Amino acid sequence: MAFTVERIDHLVLNVADLEASAAWYGRVLGMRREIADGRTILWFGEHKLHLLPVDASQEAWFTGHHPAPGSDDLCFVADAAVEDITAHLATCEAEIELGPVQRAGARGTMTSVYCRDPDGSLIEISTYRAS
């Protein structure tokens, strides 16, 4: 029987410094932190990120072959005006590396700004709101 996947349940983000990353995602992106089964989980909406410290025991994590902090490229959608997103990033001292720019998102044209998390992973924050 064939099937198709319908959505992503969670992502695992490889990090060098668990505390720095959890704090950054909470402060800059408003994610809520939870500890479950000894793992750090960041919640946003109905979605979650697991933070995997690269020095974690491989017995405790079944993960990719080459876990490396700073190698990710993630896009998050915010229900906010791009001006509010850029102002918030400035307040958090998260340097915008590119944007605002128009991009083709999964639901149509969106406006994006790009910054980096503490490990250097590229973080795209997008909005579908018209300017």
Side-chain angles (χ1 to χ4, degrees), residues 61-77:
W61 286 86
F62 184 69
T63 190
H65 287 291
H66 307 288
S71 64
D72 298 295
D73 181 344
L74 303 173
C75 177
F76 298 100
V77 176

Side-chain angles (χ1 to χ4, degrees), residues 64-114:
H65 287 291
H66 307 288
S71 64
D72 298 295
D73 181 344
L74 303 173
C75 177
F76 298 100
V77 176
D79 184 15
V82 70
E83 296 83 6
D84 294 335
I85 294 169
T86 58
H88 175 72
L89 291 175
T91 299
C92 294
E93 298 180 357
E95 179 184 349
I96 295 173
E97 293 195 7
L98 179 66
V101 293
Q102 298 295 303
R103 293 292 188 243
R107 297 174 56 201
T109 302
M110 60 188 188
T111 304
S112 299
V113 295
Y114 294 82

Side-chain angles (χ1 to χ4, degrees), residues 20-61:
S21 292
W24 189 90
Y25 280 90
R27 180 174 45 87
V28 177
L29 299 182
M31 294 184 183
R32 180 178 52 84
R33 182 179 182 175
E34 175 183 308
I35 306 295
D37 298 323
R39 296 181 181 199
T40 298
I41 300 167
L42 300 176
W43 287 94
F44 56 105
E46 296 178 357
H47 310 285
K48 64 181 180 173
L49 290 179
H50 288 264
L51 297 185
L52 170 57
V54 292
D55 60 357
S57 162
Q58 293 303 306
E59 291 81 40
W61 286 86

